[in-house]
Amino acid sequence: MPDLRTPSDHGQGVDETYRMPRAVRAAQFIAVLMALVGILCTASSGWLLGSSSAIQTAIPFIPAWLLGLVALTFQSEGQSVRIGAILLAVLNMLWTVPSITDGHPPGPLGPITSLVLIVLLFRREARDWFEPSGW
């Protein structure tokens, strides 16, 4: 299996195997987007309703922010990054379920995006991407 992280220059630039698979790129995009939605919701709540409302809005987004930070490391090697992201997505899913019944952000967006992330990171191409190159 070719190393997916090191470009091989054959006179044509970067090898196609260096590109992050679509499933991993989509998972990274969704995780970072959800973290940005959390920042936007928290900032808006603080600006419109005050700091106590901002804190209440921020609490359900804590796992999403952690997941966004982990998603920024998807260029790294090792299954621990992928497994950590999956576990944070499960935590985010469970953590945000109460916001659906309470009518607060992120509502159903939290569990849905978490489920999509889990499915994307369980795909074969995602497992292959995070596999250490020496294995």
Side-chain angles (χ1 to χ4, degrees):
M1 171 183 275
D3 183 12
L4 300 176
R5 276 160 219 80
T6 57
S8 61
D9 189 8
H10 299 290
Q12 300 173 357
V14 177
D15 189 3
E16 286 295 316
T17 58
Y18 180 70
R19 292 183 191 261
M20 187 180 289
R22 288 183 184 163
V24 178
R25 177 68 69 194
Q28 183 181 45
F29 178 78
I30 291 168
V32 171
L33 184 64
M34 189 64 182
L36 291 174
V37 166
I39 291 170
L40 181 65
C41 286
T42 302
S44 299
S45 179
W47 182 58
L48 295 172
L49 303 171
S51 61
S52 64
S53 179
I55 292 170
Q56 289 176 350
T57 303
I59 290 173
F61 284 104
I62 292 171
W65 292 334
L66 294 173
L67 187 57
L69 289 174
V70 169
L72 295 176
T73 67
F74 279 4
Q75 288 286 61
S76 302
E77 251 181 29
Q79 292 294 329
S80 59
V81 173
R82 184 179 74 89
I83 292 169
I86 291 170
L87 291 175
L88 278 171
V90 169
L91 176 66
N92 188 44
M93 185 185 319
L94 297 174
W95 189 280
T96 56
V97 166
S99 70
I100 297 171
T101 58
D102 294 344
H104 296 293
L109 189 62
I112 290 170
T113 57
S114 296
L115 186 61
V116 170
L117 270 161
I118 292 166
V119 168
L120 288 170
L121 291 175
F122 266 108
R123 294 190 60 158
R124 180 73 182 165
E125 59 197 76
R127 286 190 306 244
D128 290 345
W129 174 255
F130 289 104
E131 190 68 36
S133 59
W135 296 71

